[in-house]
Amino acid sequence: MQNLTQAKLNSTFFICGYQNLTDKILRRLCDLGLTIGQRVRVRAKSLLKKALLIEIRGYELTIKSDIASGILIK
């Protein structure tokens, strides 16, 4: 399995788990719709690779890279 920061641009993946995230961050991600089994697509990465723009459930969301590295995809 790979994490969200390792994903190729404009490819579709499914969230299959989480690692090394605090309960507070995990709860916030679930509130935003990043639940296990959801389809996610990486739309863009910042120049310094500090943030990712992803598309999930029909809307776009920006996530910091350190949080995105804790989201496992397949």
Side-chain angles (χ1 to χ4, degrees):
M1 279 187 266
Q2 57 183 354
N3 61 30
L4 201 55
T5 57
Q6 299 168 340
K8 294 182 181 179
L9 293 178
N10 294 321
S11 297
T12 302
F13 300 95
F14 291 94
I15 297 174
C16 62
Y18 306 101
Q19 68 177 8
N20 302 330
L21 294 176
T22 63
D23 290 337
K24 184 177 179 181
I25 292 174
L26 187 57
R27 171 175 265 172
R28 182 67 176 147
L29 291 177
C30 290
D31 289 344
L32 291 170
L34 280 91
T35 56
I36 294 175
Q38 283 300 312
R39 188 179 345 172
V40 63
R41 186 171 78 169
V42 178
R43 299 285 307 257
K45 294 182 180 181
S46 66
L47 293 175
L48 299 175
K49 297 188 179 178
K50 297 277 183 178
L52 298 172
L53 177 66
I54 63 170
E55 181 180 330
I56 187 164
R57 294 184 186 236
Y59 68 94
E60 293 180 342
L61 177 68
T62 304
I63 299 179
K64 290 173 57 176
S65 293
D66 57 344
I67 295 172
S69 65
I71 302 172
L72 301 176
I73 57 173
K74 62 176 174 177

